[in-house]
Amino acid sequence: MAKSGPSFTCTECGAVHKKWTGRCDGCGAWNSIVEEAPLTAGPASKTLGPARGRQIELTTLATKEVPPPRASSGLGELDRVLGGGLVPASAILVGGDPGIGKSTLLLQAAASFARQGLSCLYVSGEEASAQVRMRAQRLGLADAPVQLAAETSLRDILTTLDTVRPDLAIIDSIQTMWSDNVDSAPGSVAQVRAACHELVSFAKKRGTSVILVGHVTKEGQIAGPRVVEHMVDTVLYFEGERGHQFRILRAVKNRFGPADEIGVFEMTGAGLAEVANPSALFLSDRGQASPGSAVFAGIEGTRPVLTEIQALVSPSPLGTPRRTVVGLDSGRISTILAVLEARCGIPFAGLDVFLNVAGGMRSTEPAADLAVAAALLSAREDVALPPDMVIFGEISLSGALRPVGQSENRLKEAEKLGFSQAIAPERSKITGGGGMRVRKMPDLITFVGDMFAAG
Ligand code: TYD
Ligand code: MG
C-alpha cells in the first residue's frame, strides 16, 4: 500500500483535496478545509477479521429504565421549548443575533434553575464577572445561588466543572472559548468545534447538562458552519426584530421533544418576561379594521397562535416593482402573486408590494397562504376584511385551496380571542366549529368573488 500523507477535507461537502486551499473547489465554501491525519498503517488497516474487536452487547428496543425526571426551570416558556424541562446530561445550543437577549435569557434561566434546587454554573467569556453581577442585580436575581465565572480557557473550565460537578453549566459563548489543543484563534471553526466537542463529551460522561450560547453569522447560521448543530441534542434559536420587544425562542432540533416549538418572551426594562398567551399579544395593537390586514390562525409547534398579516400595495415608480417581505417566505409570496394573476386574473405588475407579520413574528406555515392572499387583495382593492374574521388554508398552484392540519385547534383559539367567523378550505376536517361561523371555500376564485365582489 502506498504511504499516504495527510489529506485535506472540506467540512461542508466532504470533498478531499491534496493540499490546503482557502476555498473548496467542490462546493465553493471559504475556509472550510481541515487537515486530517492519514489512516494509521497498522495491522488493523490490512484486514478487519472477525477475531479482532470485542463482541458488542446487544439489547432490544423495549426499555426497562424510566425516563429521567426533567428539571423544570420555573420559566414555563423555556420548559415548553425544551420539550417539558431540562433533561439531565443533555447538550443545548442557543443561537441568535448579537444583542437579541441570549445572555439575559440564560442568566434568568440559570437563576431560575438554581432557585429550583439545581446547582448551576454560569461561565461568561464575553463579560467580566462584575458586569454579569450588575445585570443580575438589575434583574433582581442577585440572591439566586448561581456560581459565576468569567473565563475563556477551556482546559480550566473543564477542570473546574470536573471538580464542582454542577447539574447545569452555561457557557456564554462558545465562540469565545479557547482550547490549547487547537492551533487557531478563538472563534475559528476548528476552535468552536473542539470546544463544543469537549463540552458535549463532558456532559455525556459526567451527567452535567450544558447550554452553549452561539452567535449567528450573517447567513443565519451558528458560526462554525453547522458543525456545532449536529453535536448537540437540542438547537434553539432566539429571534426577534430589533425594534420590537417580542422575542421568540424556537426549537429547530430537539432529541427530547418536538421541534418547531416556540416560547414567547417580551423584553422589558426588567429582563425577559414570559408571554403565556402570544395571540393576545400579537393582536393587541390591532386598531380599527383597515384595508390590507388579515388575521391568520396559525400553529406554532404544538399551540395555535393568531397573527396579523399586513399588506400594502401601491403603484410602483420602478421598472421592476418592489416585493418587500418581513416575517414570511418571499418565495411563497411570489407564488401566491403568480397564482392570483394566472388563476384569478388579478395582476400585481406595476405595483409595489409590502408584506409584514405584525409584532416581529415569523410564519413559515403554508397554511398562511390564504391569509396572505386576503391581505394582498384587501390592500389592492382598498376593502377592509371583517374585523372578527380569521383565515387559514394553503393555496395550490392550480388555485385550489388545500386543507391544513389542526383546523379545530385554530378555530378554538380564534373563538377564545373573540373572533366569530372563519374562512377555511373546503375539505378541512371541522366538526361543529364551536361558536365560529366557518365558511369553506374550494378555491381562490370563489374566495375572491365572495369577499371582493364589488372590486
Ligand atoms: P444580551 O442578553 O446582552 O444579548 P446577547 O447576549 O444575545 O448579545 O441583551 C442585550 C440587549 O437586551 C441590550 O440591547 C439591552 C436589552 N435589555 C433590556 O432591554 N432589558 C434588560 O433588562 C436587559 C438585561 C437587557
Ligand atoms: Mg451575550
Side-chain angles (χ1 to χ4, degrees):
M1 203 177 105
K3 190 171 173 296
S4 60
S7 66
F8 296 86
T9 311
C10 173
T11 53
E12 295 282 329
C13 70
V16 180
H17 303 260
K18 283 215 183 66
K19 58 182 191 341
W20 191 88
T21 53
R23 184 166 189 256
C24 173
D25 300 334
C27 63
W30 288 96
N31 210 7
S32 64
I33 292 177
V34 292
E35 179 174 346
E36 285 192 337
L39 277 179
T40 46
S45 68
K46 280 190 202 128
T47 164
L48 284 172
R52 299 185 181 281
R54 71 185 162 81
Q55 163 86 52
I56 303 165
E57 193 188 331
L58 304 174
T59 61
T60 61
L61 293 176
T63 171
K64 290 185 200 76
E65 294 115 65
V66 284
R70 290 171 180 258
S72 161
S73 67
L75 293 170
E77 293 296 293
L78 178 63
D79 287 350
R80 165 202 295 281
V81 178
L82 289 173
L86 183 72
V87 175
S90 60
I92 297 154
L93 176 69
V94 177
D97 292 332
I100 204 73
K102 301 181 294 297
S103 302
T104 308
L105 174 73
L106 292 177
L107 188 62
Q108 288 184 239
S112 211
F113 275 120
R115 282 178 178 154
Q116 306 279 324
L118 264 69
S119 57
C120 287
L121 205 144
Y122 184 97
V123 183
S124 177
E126 303 198 333
E127 292 164 292
S129 299
Q131 270 176 295
V132 181
R133 270 198 294 271
M134 248 157 60
R135 175 180 302 193
Q137 192 93 51
R138 205 151 43 81
L139 299 178
L141 306 173
D143 62 319
V146 177
Q147 291 178 289
L148 175 67
E151 184 55 66
T152 56
S153 160
L154 191 63
R155 190 181 290 269
D156 294 349
I157 291 170
L158 286 169
T159 307
T160 310
L161 287 180
D162 210 23
T163 318
V164 179
R165 295 284 178 90
D167 296 317
L168 169 66
I170 294 173
I171 310 290
D172 185 4
S173 68
I174 188 78
Q175 274 98 354
T176 53
M177 293 300 133
W178 152 88
S179 161
D180 50 15
N181 282 338
V182 180
D183 225 4
S184 51
S188 64
V189 174
Q191 279 286 5
V192 168
R193 186 192 296 131
C196 184
H197 178 75
E198 297 268 356
L199 287 162
V200 173
S201 314
F202 177 85
K204 300 291 159 199
K205 240 185 331 222
R206 298 288 189 237
T208 291
S209 301
V210 294
I211 300 184
L212 311 172
V213 173
H215 294 300
V216 175
T217 60
K218 275 199 215 76
E219 294 84 43
Q221 291 179 346
I222 291 177
R226 305 217 168 230
V227 285
V228 190
E229 288 192 13
H230 76 263
M231 283 188 216
V232 296
D233 301 307
T234 303
V235 178
L236 310 178
Y237 275 95
F238 203 40
E239 39 184 57
E241 297 292 326
R242 221 159 253 276
H244 287 286
Q245 71 273 39
F246 309 127
R247 298 285 181 273
I248 291 161
L249 187 65
R250 189 182 293 271
V252 293
K253 161 185 168 177
N254 195 353
R255 289 192 183 136
F256 306 118
D260 276 337
E261 192 66 86
I262 64 163
V264 185
F265 297 87
E266 190 177 357
M267 182 61 99
T268 68
L272 291 156
E274 295 181 73
V275 176
N277 189 345
S279 303
L281 193 72
F282 288 131
L283 296 178
S284 62
D285 50 3
R286 210 162 63 101
Q288 291 294 307
S290 59
S293 156
V295 177
F296 165 51
I299 299 282
E300 288 290 340
T302 53
R303 73 175 150 186
V305 175
L306 303 193
T307 45
E308 182 190 358
I309 293 179
Q310 302 169 334
L312 177 67
V313 175
S314 66
S316 178
L318 305 171
T320 310
R322 266 183 290 236
R323 302 286 182 250
T324 305
V325 180
V326 179
L328 294 158
D329 176 30
S330 50
R332 277 205 93 81
I333 304 307
S334 307
T335 311
I336 294 167
L337 289 171
V339 172
L340 280 170
E341 175 145 13
R343 308 293 176 196
C344 309
I346 302 171
F348 281 82
L351 296 171
D352 283 333
V353 171
F354 304 90
L355 268 167
N356 177 35
V357 183
M361 182 69 185
R362 192 161 62 88
S363 194
T364 48
E365 261 193 297
D369 288 357
L370 189 56
V372 168
L376 284 169
L377 290 164
S378 159
R380 189 182 183 281
E381 307 298 323
D382 204 24
V383 176
L385 294 162
D388 62 341
M389 172 186 276
V390 297
I391 300 174
F392 58 89
E394 183 181 347
I395 298 174
S396 73
L397 290 182
S398 65
L401 298 184
R402 293 161 59 165
V404 294
Q406 305 203 40
S407 302
E408 301 237 307
N409 279 343
R410 297 173 201 265
L411 293 175
K412 240 182 259 161
E413 175 79 357
E415 191 181 354
K416 212 165 67 188
L417 282 148
F419 289 83
S420 55
Q421 50 175 323
I423 306 263
E426 189 166 61
R427 284 177 289 119
S428 299
K429 286 201 195 84
I430 299 168
T431 47
M436 297 284 287
R437 191 161 61 86
V438 184
R439 272 192 288 163
K440 294 184 174 181
M441 311 243 169
D443 50 38
L444 200 51
I445 289 213
T446 315
F447 174 72
V448 172
D450 201 296
M451 302 298 299
F452 304 99

